[in-house]
């Protein structure tokens, strides 16, 4: 009998070839979930402390932000409200931030 990818050839003295899921053979790697960022790293955004920063949220909102405090799971500072033409104090969880950019 010819070797089939879903059979184990150990009984024939072979080294064992990978089998299909649920079939005999050397187990393969379990499927890995896609890697998606869960939150912005506090150490990364800390470099933007006291600097004007563009922030993009997971919901697509974007705004200018002047961070003054970075905690383990949140950041706080002043958010520019363009319609009111003023800075408001604002805090947000780091997992709500998709990306940010500031000049060093």
């Amino acid at each position: 009998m010819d070797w089939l990818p879903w059979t184990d050839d150990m009984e024939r003295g072979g080294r064992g070839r990978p089998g299909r899921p649920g079939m005999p053979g050397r187990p393969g790697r379990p499927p890995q979930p896609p890697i998606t960022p869960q939150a912005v790293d506090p150490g990364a955004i800390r470099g933007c402390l006291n600097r004007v920063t563009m922030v993009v949220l997971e919901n697509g909102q974007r705004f200018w932000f002047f961070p003054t405090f970075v905690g383990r799971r949140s950041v706080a500072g002043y958010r520019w409200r363009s319609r009111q033409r003023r800075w408001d104090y604002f805090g947000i969880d780091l997992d709500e931030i998709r990306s940010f950019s500031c000049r060093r």
Side-chain angles (χ1 to χ4, degrees), residues 69-84:
F69 170 80
V70 177
R72 288 186 311 147
R73 291 188 291 246
S74 63
V75 61
Y78 295 90
R79 177 179 177 167
W80 177 248
R81 302 286 186 173
S82 57
R83 289 185 183 165
Q84 291 88 15

Side-chain angles (χ1 to χ4, degrees), residues 28-104:
R29 258 192 197 153
Q32 298 292 321
I35 297 173
T36 56
Q38 299 298 313
V40 168
D41 178 45
I45 202 165
R46 192 167 284 122
C48 291
L49 273 175
N50 302 312
R51 299 178 190 278
V52 176
T53 303
M54 172 55 70
V55 172
V56 180
L57 300 182
E58 288 293 338
N59 66 9
Q61 270 189 314
R62 54 185 345 157
F63 52 87
W64 290 107
F65 185 59
F66 190 84
T68 57
F69 170 80
V70 177
R72 288 186 311 147
R73 291 188 291 246
S74 63
V75 61
Y78 295 90
R79 177 179 177 167
W80 177 248
R81 302 286 186 173
S82 57
R83 289 185 183 165
Q84 291 88 15
R85 299 181 53 78
R86 70 176 189 221
W87 292 94
D88 285 341
Y89 195 72
F90 174 79
I92 192 163
D93 290 342
L94 292 172
D95 62 358
E96 295 293 321
I97 299 174
R98 179 183 299 162
S99 64
F100 63 91
S101 177
C102 66
R103 291 203 173 188
R104 300 207 80 177

